[in-house]
């Protein structure tokens, strides 16, 4: 059982003339350059048929490859303003046109056109041209072949079950949905490749991979797989040394075999030398040695190697005050700048740690001028409430994208899109938040992150608020015609949902670990507060709170992490005057009585934000309650249940964090609120 | 693969005359009252055959039911000094006699006789009479039917695999070993009865239960099973209310069915209303209502209901300062004194919390004059190093047994043996530390706890040191004849092992949670230090450490737990002058600068003991290393590996605990040692 996500088309109300006019126009569609054998063409037609039938109760009349002067016209054209996968939607006297330079672009234009209908924006002066900002717009599924999902909070995998691939109706629904927001690449299996997953690229699964890649290709999506770097060892070789000829040859032969069976495979995602995964370090080789060997093997087939930069010492001694995990990515990769093959992309997590609610942007963005880079964010809410708390992450991603690296004044978005350095292999990836739950993402509001990531990866200039609005409108208020939308207070729905979404991340941050220090979570599961949970562990994620002070000095006088940035950013973070306060404890060790710009001490700031955070959740919950009866009952009830928990659990966060600091300092809350 | 535990018989060296004389005498054995159809008789004979063949290279000549004047004579006799399951071993002019009032006693006498041979104590003036102190001497296996073991640290179950029972050679080895130390009852399945285990008492498993009970009976052991209190609900009834006639009848019929199939079943062990397990509270009935209903159903067959008292609120709010988990057992059960059927025994954990390295003795001992009681200890080292740290628990059990309850001045041992109140249903149970590892207990030195628990449950007057000596001699130095034992420094082996064992618990306590406060462990797995791990949890196990003080006031002015004891003990614990310091923080909230009798502050005591504890582990490890080449190489290597880990891990305990308090107080170690 699954729903149709934001493609949950309903009959339009057609209450006013403009809507009726649209219905009339759309009863005729002309598709030029139609290729009956091209799955993209077929799917474009099907999408229109499906949607129009739902909207208007009947399918349109389709014409192909003829001149028409009214209705909806779909055209493949060549001009300078339309690039690969771009589209233009505009109105003309007697209808609308969707134009694109390729069929992927035409598919995106079609999906966008259908959205415009549903959100009441198909005005007579509509004219929207988009070319994607990122060449690769990717989802990384951490699905394991037995069927579980690492860091999955929405049920089990819909790609795998009992070590077999699953290909069914849901696969198609998935492809339609993610294509509709611009995703053009997916990795279906967990980066931690174990057990049967090592043999995903083998005879056992080639025919399924081929079948799946065909389905995905029909929606403009390339299939990637995560691979086990040590695979040669499991196939009779006694080494996986990337500089050994027999190893390189083994991979060459393997790639030949793979592409013979799955000719459209996008390439491999590789987690090597990370958290117990094998890699080139085992053989005293560099990360470049490892990535390039694979890149050369896969290059003849147009394949890409996406090489993760999440490399650090995960067996650190917490007593070791010199090692700083935050430094690791840059330390391992920076010196290799320029050494990677053209078909290698380094996939870099947004921050130097691991998907905390707040981190600085990785200094690898702007730190490697001659290397293909890609951003990795996580919409699976591992550290941000695990899809039981609402936490709309698009505002956070916007901040990341807008970060000025001061490498040629490029923003992170400029770099990962490839435009700052003229790279074509670049992009954005998100660790997916999907599973086989009915609503795909567990929390219905978490669906906004899936929708939003896709939209943002296609157009990084979109605002988080606009994305939230359009998702809320599509998912919860699309059946309402534009005129009636105002009349029956449909706008209340979107206003309420957008308000909740936009507040959710700042609110979550308030009741979590304070001021950028991160990690105050229950180890392993990463859910719920445990201030010292990682404090005496081997994971390199410490706050070092004592009775006087908290935080890590990461300036030049401390671990030196800040020096990995360009000078302007090093200065920004190193000075107490300019360091953004939300990152204060990430970069500085500070006494609790240090006075912030607000005039509050750090300790009082901690108390205040935690009380505020929990209060704000109560308000969000009440706000959601006000939608009872106005939206789909199932959605309403599911989200209500989650809010019930979040209200309680945000108080748990509040009380544990506050009590921890109260007990450690012995200092009461200035406002006399209860601490334990 | 499994070894023979302490029954690892080897050829005796027979180096001197006395040994040679013994060999001669033992070449003839006469077994009076021999019943060829009685499995106990057969097994006694077999034990002698097996042992003598190993000792001397040949089986003895057996005679049955005739008068003989020399050799080894086995007799069933009736006299006042030999009670049920008791025995007497003594020498006479031309040999040795083993006498007993029943075959179980004769089996115990035989096993003891074989020990005496192996530990060089079969002197010409040997005369040892023993009657068991405890009617029930029981092992509780927390084995799950899929094959895993809850809190198991020695591999998987050897009773269950894939939801089926396993009965094989190992079962017999198990029965022989535990019978050899006096165990006369075993519960084979986990008290948390789930899944298939609910159907252990059903047609699916009766034939296997019968088979197993026959094997066990042959060694004087009764088979018990843990049952699911809610079983009627899984069998079509809509209630498990103990006062409903249909429920009582269901159990009556069930017991009839069970005993028809497994006539020698000892009875049931029940964990009800505890940690999510169902029970009579669901129906607003008392624990007595629940236990008695089952007791009446099973009484016609001589069965016993062992009802666990581990009942507490495991969903406590850590902010609730009034509720005290320590009070729960007494609060729930004390008022029911005298209400239980005669065939109900309450099984009470040694302390009010849960098997911590140090706790006071439960006030239920001495708190219920008219109720059958049984002690539950845990040799599975859940909180005491999980069989990776050496922690010989018999000294701790001795302290528990010797506790003066001040109920008629009876010690805990007097009560749980039944003698203080003239009860025949009473005894001691241990949660077992066994699994399918080759050496049964993971850590070879943990085997001393299995051996020791059996011995102690049979004779509570034995010293921990003597038990340790005999186990070490049997397991690691029994191949050595008494004369050569001195000559080849065999004594070094036992001295070294006994020294390690006797120091191990005090040492473990030193580097663990200080002064009786307990629980500073990683939640869930209960391994390794995490000072605040349970501090903000629902489990009711708090230390409440802040920057000034630590501990819980459990006197009348606090939670009142101390008032559950008889006046003398309440006074003892309530006064700072008399409260045993090892329990100081269990009963009192104390500032870190409070000066202990040693002249040290609590804080300095914490620092000192933690440094000492880790140092002592290094010494124990070095001490073990000195045995290289002197004992069985496999045993030596296995234990060495564990010591390697313990040396590192005890430092982890030391540093985490010390750093926690250092950071919380800001006060340095007086001796200037490194804190983090």
């Amino acid at each position: 059982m699954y729903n149709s996500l934001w493609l949950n088309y309903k009959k339009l109300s057609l209450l006013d003339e403009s809507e009726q006019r649209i219905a009339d126009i759309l009863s005729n569609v002309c598709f030029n350059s139609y290729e009956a054998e091209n799955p993209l063409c077929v799917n474009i037609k099907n999408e229109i048929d499906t949607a129009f039938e739902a909207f208007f109760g009947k399918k349109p009349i389709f014409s192909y490859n003829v001149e028409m002067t009214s209705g909806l016209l779909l055209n493949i054209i060549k001009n300078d303003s339309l690039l690969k996968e771009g589209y233009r939607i505009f109105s003309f006297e007697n209808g609308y046109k969707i134009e694109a330079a390729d069929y992927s672009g035409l598919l995106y234009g079609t999906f966008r056109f259908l959205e415009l209908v549903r959100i009441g924006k198909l005005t007579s002066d509509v004219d929207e041209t988009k070319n994607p900002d990122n060449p690769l717009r990717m989802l990384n599924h951490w699905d394991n072949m037995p069927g579980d999902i690492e860091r999955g909070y929405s049920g089990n995998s819909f790609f795998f079950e009992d070590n077999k691939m699953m290909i069914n109706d849901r696969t198609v629904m998935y492809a339609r949905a993610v294509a509709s927001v611009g995703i053009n690449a997916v990795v279906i299996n967990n980066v931690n490749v174990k057990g049967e997953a090592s043999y995903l690229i083998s005879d056992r699964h080639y025919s399924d991979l081929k079948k799946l890649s065909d389905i995905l290709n029909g929606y403009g999506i390339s299939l990637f797989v995560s691979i086990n770097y040590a695979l040669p060892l499991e196939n009779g070789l006694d080494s996986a040394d990337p500089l050994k000829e027999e190893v390189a040859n083994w991979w060459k032969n393997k790639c030949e075999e793979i592409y013979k069976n799955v000719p459209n495979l996008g390439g491999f995602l590789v987690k090597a030398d990370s958290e117990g995964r094998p890699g080139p370090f085992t053989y005293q080789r560099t990360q470049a040695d490892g990535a390039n060997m694979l890149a050369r093997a896969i290059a003849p087939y147009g394949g890409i190697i996406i090489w993760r930069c999440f490399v650090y010492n995960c067996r650190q001694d917490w007593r070791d005050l010199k090692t700083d995990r935050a430094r690791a990515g840059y330390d391992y990769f920076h010196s290799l700048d320029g050494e990677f093959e053209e078909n290698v992309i380094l996939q870099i997590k947004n921050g130097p740690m691991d998907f905390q609610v707040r981190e600085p942007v990785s200094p690898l963005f702007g730190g490697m001028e001659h290397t293909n880079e890609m951003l990795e964010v996580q919409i699976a809410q591992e550290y941000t409430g695990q899809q039981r708390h609402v936490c709309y992450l698009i505002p956070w991603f916007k901040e990341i994208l807008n970060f000025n690296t001061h490498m040629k004044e490029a923003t992170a978005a400029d770099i990962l899109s490839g435009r700052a350095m003229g790279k074509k292999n670049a992009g954005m990836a998100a660790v997916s938040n999907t599973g086989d739950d009915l609503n795909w993402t567990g929390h219905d509001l978490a669906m906004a992150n899936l929708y939003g990531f896709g939209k943002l990866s296609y157009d990084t200039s979109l605002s988080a608020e606009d994305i939230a609005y359009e998702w809320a409108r599509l998912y919860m208020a699309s059946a309402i015609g534009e005129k009636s939308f105002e009349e029956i207070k449909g706008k209340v729905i979107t206003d309420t949902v957008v308000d909740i979404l936009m507040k959710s991340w700042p609110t979550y941050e308030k009741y979590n670990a304070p001021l950028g220090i991160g990690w105050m979570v229950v180890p392993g599961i990463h859910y719920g507060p445990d201030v010292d949970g990682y404090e005496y562990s081997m994971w390199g994620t410490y706050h070092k709170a004592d009775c006087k002070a908290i935080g890590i000095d990461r300036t030049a006088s401390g671990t030196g992490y800040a020096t990995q940035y360009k000078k302007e950013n090093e200065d920004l973070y190193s000075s107490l005057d300019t360091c953004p306060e939300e990152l204060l404890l990430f970069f500085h060790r500070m006494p609790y009585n240090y006075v912030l710009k607000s005039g509050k001490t750090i300790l009082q700031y901690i108390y205040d934000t935690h009380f505020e955070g929990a209060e704000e959740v109560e308000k969000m919950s009440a706000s959601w309650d006000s939608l009872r009866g106005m939206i789909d009952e199932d959605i309403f009830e599911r989200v209500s249940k989650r809010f019930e928990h979040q209200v309680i659990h945000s108080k748990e966060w509040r009380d544990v964090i506050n009590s921890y600091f109260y007990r450690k300092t012995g200092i009461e809350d200035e406002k006399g609120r209860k601490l334990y």
Side-chain angles (χ1 to χ4, degrees), chain A:
Chain A
M1 282 283 290
Y2 55 89
N3 72 17
S4 307
L5 297 120
W6 49 86
L7 301 183
N8 55 346
Y9 301 140
K10 295 195 178 68
K11 195 162 167 45
L12 297 186
S13 52
L14 309 178
L15 285 183
D16 65 11
E17 278 175 38
S18 68
E19 289 168 13
Q20 193 52 56
R21 179 178 164 272
I22 290 169
D24 293 342
I25 290 172
L26 298 185
S27 59
N28 284 290
V29 180
C30 180
F31 192 157
N32 280 326
S33 316
Y34 184 81
E35 299 174 358
E37 301 297 304
N38 185 327
L40 274 163
C41 291
V42 175
N43 286 334
I44 289 166
K45 176 189 183 301
N46 285 345
E47 287 302 321
I48 291 172
D49 275 346
T50 304
F52 287 12
E53 189 165 23
F55 296 163
F56 311 119
K58 59 174 188 198
K59 289 181 185 169
I61 298 162
F62 257 90
S63 320
Y64 303 100
N65 305 323
V66 294
E67 283 292 319
M68 268 182 57
T69 51
S70 66
L72 172 61
L73 313 186
L74 284 66
N75 295 324
I76 296 289
I77 63 159
K78 303 285 164 197
N79 72 31
D80 290 348
S81 65
L82 283 175
L83 308 179
K84 186 166 177 288
E85 299 180 307
Y87 66 82
R88 181 181 174 206
I89 297 169
F90 60 101
S91 67
F92 66 101
E93 184 69 24
N94 301 313
Y96 301 94
K97 284 192 193 175
I98 309 175
E99 294 179 346
D102 55 28
Y103 291 111
S104 290
L106 201 57
L107 179 72
Y108 298 136
T110 301
F111 275 121
R112 179 58 181 165
F113 182 84
L114 298 174
E115 281 191 0
L116 293 175
V117 174
R118 297 171 72 212
I119 63 178
K121 285 196 178 163
L122 199 66
T123 55
S124 55
D125 58 353
V126 67
D127 191 349
E128 179 176 308
T129 300
K130 297 251 171 156
N131 291 300
D133 285 318
N134 291 293
L136 274 172
R137 305 174 299 278
M138 190 174 228
L139 289 176
N140 288 183
H141 293 271
W142 288 358
D143 291 22
N144 293 318
M145 290 197 65
D148 60 307
I149 302 177
E150 182 162 329
R151 312 299 175 192
Y153 312 108
S154 328
N156 289 320
S157 175
F158 47 78
F159 288 119
F160 303 108
E161 190 178 48
D162 294 337
N163 286 317
K164 293 194 180 64
M165 288 182 64
M166 281 197 288
I167 301 171
N168 52 38
D169 287 354
R170 188 166 192 150
T171 319
V172 176
M173 184 68 237
Y174 165 82
R176 292 178 58 217
V178 302
S180 80
V181 290
I183 297 298
N184 69 351
V186 300
V187 186
I188 56 169
N189 64 312
N190 188 358
V191 288
N192 293 313
V193 181
K194 295 173 188 168
E196 184 65 18
S198 286
Y199 301 96
L200 190 57
I201 44 170
S202 82
D203 280 340
R204 300 187 201 170
H205 302 286
Y206 284 143
S207 72
D208 281 336
L209 284 178
K210 170 71 166 68
K211 200 168 153 192
L212 178 60
S213 79
D214 285 346
I215 291 173
L216 295 174
N217 289 172
Y219 292 92
I221 302 166
S222 291
L223 172 65
F224 285 69
V225 291
S226 298
I227 61 150
N228 174 1
Y229 186 82
L231 194 56
L233 297 180
E234 301 191 19
N235 283 273
L237 269 63
D238 59 3
S239 171
D241 181 346
L243 299 194
K244 275 206 173 164
E245 203 180 330
E246 62 183 36
V247 174
N249 280 337
W250 187 91
W251 278 110
K252 269 185 194 139
N253 293 334
K254 189 74 193 172
C255 286
E256 187 182 349
E257 174 192 305
I258 294 169
Y259 277 88
K260 196 180 291 172
N261 287 285
V262 194
N264 292 326
L265 193 77
F268 303 152
L269 175 62
V270 192
K271 176 177 182 177
D273 290 313
S274 173
E275 297 180 335
R277 299 282 80 204
F281 284 167
T282 312
Y283 307 96
Q284 290 78 52
R285 308 303 182 192
T286 68
Q287 298 293 301
D289 292 332
N292 289 340
M293 180 273 290
L294 291 173
R296 286 187 284 263
I298 208 170
Y301 315 99
I304 286 174
I305 300 301
I306 301 177
W307 192 267
R308 289 176 94 235
C309 292
F310 190 50
V311 178
Y312 67 99
N313 172 14
C314 68
R315 301 199 64 83
Q316 185 176 337
D317 189 328
W318 58 270
R319 285 157 288 219
D320 164 11
L321 303 175
K322 297 209 180 82
T323 304
D324 179 5
R325 169 168 164 181
R327 290 187 58 119
Y330 189 91
D331 282 345
Y332 284 122
F333 283 91
H334 170 251
S335 63
L336 302 174
D337 189 24
E339 293 186 15
F340 291 92
E341 295 282 339
E342 182 47 37
N343 62 332
V344 174
I345 309 178
L346 298 188
Q347 185 168 302
I348 302 160
K349 292 194 183 194
N350 60 270
M353 299 302 276
D354 190 17
F355 301 136
Q356 300 303 291
V357 68
R358 175 75 69 175
E359 291 185 46
V361 172
S362 169
L364 282 171
F365 294 112
M368 298 183 80
E369 287 189 42
H370 308 289
T371 303
N372 296 324
E373 292 187 339
M374 214 167 136
L375 171 69
E376 178 179 323
V377 294
Q378 190 189 41
I379 56 175
Q381 293 172 232
E382 179 176 356
Y383 295 96
T384 49
Q386 301 197 352
Q387 291 147 249
R388 302 180 74 189
H389 294 233
V390 57
C391 192
Y392 178 57
L393 292 163
I394 307 304
W396 175 215
F397 300 162
K398 286 292 290 183
E399 289 195 21
I400 293 161
L401 292 171
N402 291 336
F403 174 71
N404 185 348
T405 67
H406 290 294
M407 191 271 279
K408 301 179 183 169
E409 295 308 300
T411 63
D414 294 332
I415 288 164
L416 58 90
S417 66
R419 64 181 166 250
M421 304 172 296
K423 299 286 190 185
K424 71 178 178 24
N425 287 328
M428 283 172 72
V431 179
S432 186
N433 60 355
T434 50
D436 71 356
D437 277 359
L438 180 136
N439 65 357
W440 302 74
T441 55
H443 201 313
D444 289 76
L445 297 182
M447 196 190 289
N449 287 324
L450 180 63
Y451 177 90
F453 170 77
K455 287 284 179 176
L456 194 62
S457 69
Y458 190 90
D459 179 359
T460 54
S461 73
L462 291 176
S463 81
E465 200 155 1
D466 286 348
I467 292 172
Y469 169 83
E470 295 197 353
W471 172 77
R473 180 78 191 267
L474 292 168
Y475 188 54
M476 286 182 266
S478 74
I480 301 159
E482 194 57 16
K483 188 177 167 198
S484 53
F485 188 66
E486 290 297 333
E487 279 172 12
I488 67 162
K489 306 207 189 313
K491 193 164 171 300
V492 173
I493 299 172
T494 51
D495 282 354
T496 303
V497 174
V498 171
D499 186 58
I500 288 171
L501 288 175
M502 290 304 292
K503 281 176 179 159
S504 60
W505 171 60
T507 295
Y508 190 81
E509 184 177 15
K510 278 188 181 180
Y511 59 80
N512 243 265
L515 297 165
I517 193 68
W519 293 103
M520 294 179 168
V521 290
V522 177
I525 62 167
H526 299 166
Y527 193 71
D530 184 351
V531 182
D532 274 358
Y534 274 109
E535 193 55 19
Y536 303 98
S537 77
M538 64 190 183
W539 293 95
T541 55
Y542 314 115
H543 56 65
K544 303 283 179 191
D546 66 19
C547 54
K548 301 286 179 210
I550 179 173
I552 311 293
D553 179 2
R554 288 193 165 101
T555 67
S557 62
T559 73
Y561 165 77
T563 67
Q564 296 181 334
Y565 289 93
K566 299 290 175 205
K567 187 73 172 58
E568 294 88 335
N569 282 328
E570 183 194 341
D571 291 347
L572 178 84
Y573 291 133
S574 299
S575 159
L576 287 179
D577 291 335
T578 55
C579 182
E581 281 190 343
E582 67 271 17
L583 289 170
L584 187 63
L585 299 180
F586 190 93
F587 283 103
H588 299 276
R589 181 162 183 81
M590 303 299 298
Y592 297 111
N593 60 6
Y594 176 81
V595 178
L596 298 169
K597 296 191 177 72
S598 61
K600 291 177 185 179
T601 63
I602 286 177
L603 184 68
Q604 191 57 40
Y605 171 87
I606 292 173
Y607 291 157
D608 284 351
T609 48
H610 284 77
F611 279 105
E612 285 163 25
E615 278 163 30
E616 285 168 15
V617 174
E618 287 206 326
K619 282 184 201 149
M620 285 196 286
S621 176
S623 176
W624 179 262
D625 276 345
S626 74
L627 297 181
R628 185 187 298 276
M630 298 176 69
I631 61 167
D632 177 273
E633 205 174 336
D634 291 339
I635 297 174
F636 179 82
E637 288 299 338
R638 281 196 300 265
V639 173
S640 290
K641 275 265 177 246
R642 306 231 164 195
F643 266 124
E644 264 176 44
H645 171 73
Q646 189 180 353
V647 164
I648 293 166
H649 202 242
S650 59
K651 291 191 174 117
E652 189 69 12
W653 271 99
R654 172 193 74 190
D655 290 341
V656 171
I657 301 258
N658 282 348
S659 296
Y660 179 92
F661 288 105
Y662 173 55
R663 293 186 189 184
K664 208 138 201 168
T665 61
I667 300 169
E668 301 280 349
D669 171 44
E670 282 175 7
K671 295 174 187 157
R673 289 165 294 195
K674 180 73 180 159
L675 304 170
Y676 299 90

